[in-house]
Amino acid sequence: MRMSTLFARTLREAPAEAEAASHQLLLRAAFIRKVASGIYTTLPLGLRTMRKIERIVREEMDASGAQEIRMPIVLPAEPWKATGRWQAYGELMFKLKDRHGREMGLGPTQEEVVTPLVAGEFSSYRDLPVTLYQVEWKYRDEFRPRFGLLRGREFLMKDAYSFDRNEDGMRASYAVMFEAYKRIFDRCGLDFRVVEADPGQIGGGVNHEYMAITDAGEDHFLYCESCDYAADLEAATPMRPLALTEGPELEPLTDIHTPNAPAIAAVAALTGKPESRMLKTMLYDAGGRTAAVVVPGDHEVNEEKVARLFFPTPVRLFDEEDFGKRGFVKGYAGPQGMSPEVVVIADHSVRAGSNWVTGANAVDHHVAGANVDRDFRVDRWEDVVQAAPGDLCPVDGGALQLGTAIVVGHIYQLGTRYSKPLEATFIDEDGSQKPYVMGCYGIGISRILAAVAEQCHDDSGLKWPRSLAPFDAAVIPTNMDQPAVVSAAEGLYAALADLGVDAVLDDREATAGVKFADADLIGYPVQLVIGKRGIEAGTADLKLRATGERSQAPLADGAQAAKTLLEAAP
RNA sequence: CGGGACGUAGCGCAGUUUGGUAGCGCGCAGCGUUCGGGACGCUGAGGUCGCGGGUUCAAAUCCCGCCGUCCCGACCA
C-alpha cells in the first residue's frame, strides 16, 4: 500500500472530545472517526487491525471445535420476553417497531436466537455437544458511551454458545473455551488476568472475566498478594471468618446518646471506636417484605449479591416513605428488636465480631455492646458484603489488592437459564426430555483494539504488537526529489512483498520529519528508512518501534533485515 | 437519568464578562525556497458563530427553549 493513496489523514492534535489515550491515538492515527456518541466508522488502518484480531479469534475458535455461524442483528421481542431479558435489559437495549407495529430489538447478545436455533435442529443427546459462534456487531444503548471504542453503543463482539446434555459436559466445554481465550489474548499481545466475575444481565453461575490490565480501565478487581485468587470487585467473596467461640467478654447492651449522627463516620467520631466495630444495617424491600442487611461499618452492602438472594423477586433500597411507614428510623437502624416479619441477613464477617455499636432504632440513639443471638437474631448468614482492598483472600487468607483493567472477554456457565424458558430440549439416553445445559462466551473485538492501544503506546503514538499491526513495516524514502532514493525505496518495497512482509511505502511529497512522526503515530512495528546519506553509504536504516532501537543494514539486504527485525518484534 | 462543563472554518483555540456584524495556529490550494524527526516565505479558499424564538437601531456576545458533545456516578464485551 502506498501512503499517497491510503485513506488516512492523521491529526496533529487530538479532538477535544477524546480523553482516553486509546481514544485520542486511534483518532489521531486515522484508525477511527466518530459518527455519533459511541458510534464510529472504522477506517482502513483500523479495519486492518480489527481483521487481524478477528482472524486470531476465528483460528482459536475453529481449533477448539467451535463452528461459525452468522445470526441477525434485528431480533423479534418474543423470545426476549420469554427469558425476561426484554425487561431486564430495559433501556439498555435498542428497541424499535416494524411497520406492522411488531416490537423488535437490536441484539446485545444472541442467546435468544441461538437457543431456539439449536433446539430446532438437534433433538438427541447423540448430537451434543456443539459450540457455535459468530463475529457480529452488537448494540447497547449505553447510558454513557465513553472512551471511544472502549464503551461504544455499537461494538464488534465474538459470541459463542455451547450446548451440552449435562453439567459435566458444560464444564468440559467451558474448560475448552477457558483455555482458548488465554491463547487469543496472548496472541493479541495483551497483558491480562483471568478473574472470577459477576454474571450480571446474562445470568448463570460460574463465570470468568479476562481483564486487560491498565490504569485507564473502568473495571476493578481484587487479587490476592500471595496466591492465584483474583475476582471482579463486585464478585469477590472475602474469606469467611470463623465464628467466635471464646472472644472478649460480652459487654452489657447499653444505650448511647448520639445526637445528629446518622452516618457511621459520625458515630465513630463520637464514640471514638473504629468503623469496623460498628454494624451497618441497610433496609430493603423485597417484594413487599422487609429485609435488614447487616454488614460491618467499614464495608458497603453489595446490592447485586442481595438481589441474587431474592431472585427473581426484585429488591430495592428503602425510600424515605418506607422508613416511616414500616416503623424504622433512617440513619439509626440496628438489627436488635426486629419483628419476626423482617428477614435479618448478616454477612459472614459479622460472626467474627462482638460488642458491636449499632443503631438503636430511635433518633439520636445508638447502642453499644450488641451481640449476636443475645441481642439480635440473624435469620440468614450470607455473603452480602462489598469486598474491599485489605480484606482476606478466601483461598489462603492473604491480603487482597486492588487492580484496574478493561474487561475484554467474559465467559459464563449458564446452565439452563435460557434453555428452560425457551423450552429448548433434547431427548436424553433414557428417553426423557431435558433442557440443554449451556455456556456462553464473549470477546469484545473492537474493545481489544482499544485495549491494546491503551497498553501499547508512548508519547509518540501507537506501538502495535506484530500480530495486530495494520502493516508490518513502513518503507520511508526521505527525499522524494532524489531518483536514487525513490528507486531504492521502491525496490525494497517490492522485495518486502516478495518476502511476505506487508509494508506501506510512504511515497508522499512530505518532509522526512512528517513521515517519521506518522510512522511512529500509526505504530508499524518496523520502519525502513532510505535517504540520500544512506544511498551514498550503501545502507538502509531500521527502527524497531517497540523499543526505539535503531540499526543499519546494507542497502541490498534491507528487505531481509527488516523481515528479521520484524520476526524479533514483540 | 442525577451532578459538572462545552458547542465559533477539517482539527486545536481566542473573541462572550463590557452587544457594533469574526480572528489566531495547524491543516488545505497555488508559486518559490527547503529536504534524516511534524521546514520557511508569499498568495488564496474555507464559517447560516449548534438549532429555534425573543430583547435591541444592532446579537457569536443578553434572555428563553431545544439539540448535540464530553467529564463524574449507577450497567456491560
Side-chain angles (χ1 to χ4, degrees), chain A residues 197-205 207 308 410 412:
Chain A
D198 183 277
Q201 296 283 14
I202 307 281
N207 68 107
R308 223 167 296 142
H410 199 162
Y412 307 78

Side-chain angles (χ1 to χ4, degrees), chain A residues 69-83:
Chain A
I69 60 172
R70 194 265 147 185
M71 290 180 272
I73 291 166
V74 180
L75 312 167
E78 285 71 31
W80 288 79
K81 290 182 175 170
T83 59

Side-chain angles (χ1 to χ4, degrees), chain A residues 78-80 82-83 111-113 115-116 119 418-425:
Chain A
E78 285 71 31
W80 288 79
T83 59
E111 284 83 357
E112 281 80 354
V113 181
T115 307
Y418 294 90
S419 50
K420 259 194 190 144
L422 293 168
E423 296 172 355
T425 58

Side-chain angles (χ1 to χ4, degrees), chain A residues 15 69 158 316 413 485 487:
Chain A
I69 60 172
K158 186 285 302 178
R316 62 167 177 80
Q413 291 183 11
V485 170
S487 67

Side-chain angles (χ1 to χ4, degrees), chain A residues 48 109 154 217 255 418 422 463 516 533 541:
Chain A
R48 280 180 158 259
T109 71
E154 181 190 68
D255 186 276
Y418 294 90
L422 293 168
K463 298 198 286 191
F516 294 148
R533 280 183 345 217
D541 295 332

Side-chain angles (χ1 to χ4, degrees), chain A residues 307-490:
Chain A
R308 223 167 296 142
L309 295 178
F310 290 94
F311 185 84
T313 303
V315 178
R316 62 167 177 80
L317 195 61
F318 262 27
D319 59 30
E320 298 291 338
E321 284 185 16
D322 292 319
F323 282 97
K325 260 194 280 185
R326 306 197 196 185
F328 292 96
V329 185
K330 190 178 184 185
Y332 297 93
Q336 347 57 258
M338 290 288 177
S339 75
E341 293 87 65
V342 177
V343 196
V344 180
I345 300 168
D347 187 76
H348 298 294
S349 53
V350 172
R351 254 191 236 275
S354 57
N355 301 323
W356 298 98
V357 174
T358 186
N361 295 314
V363 177
D364 292 346
H365 285 274
H366 281 74
V367 295
N371 285 286
V372 182
D373 294 339
R374 189 194 70 184
D375 303 314
F376 61 92
R377 147 190 128 247
V378 171
D379 298 313
R380 297 175 65 173
W381 292 99
E382 301 283 356
D383 167 36
V384 287
V385 80
Q386 169 75 55
D391 285 355
L392 302 185
C393 168
V395 177
D396 70 350
L400 295 176
Q401 313 278 315
L402 187 68
T404 307
I406 297 164
V407 177
V408 288
H410 199 162
I411 61 178
Y412 307 78
Q413 291 183 11
L414 295 175
T416 56
R417 162 79 178 82
Y418 294 90
S419 50
K420 259 194 190 144
L422 293 168
E423 296 172 355
T425 58
F426 65 97
I427 308 294
D428 208 350
E429 203 166 2
D430 61 4
S432 67
Q433 203 162 53
K434 293 180 179 170
Y436 297 106
V437 184
M438 297 171 56
C440 86
Y441 317 89
I443 287 182
I445 306 246
S446 47
R447 184 179 274 186
I448 288 177
L449 186 70
V452 176
E454 206 61 63
Q455 284 187 357
C456 305
H457 74 268
D458 59 18
D459 291 344
S460 305
L462 298 160
K463 298 198 286 191
W464 294 107
R466 156 170 67 108
S467 60
L468 301 186
F471 290 95
D472 297 326
V475 178
I476 302 174
T478 59
N479 315 80
M480 293 303 289
D481 59 341
Q482 304 271 322
V485 170
V486 174
S487 67
E490 292 274 1

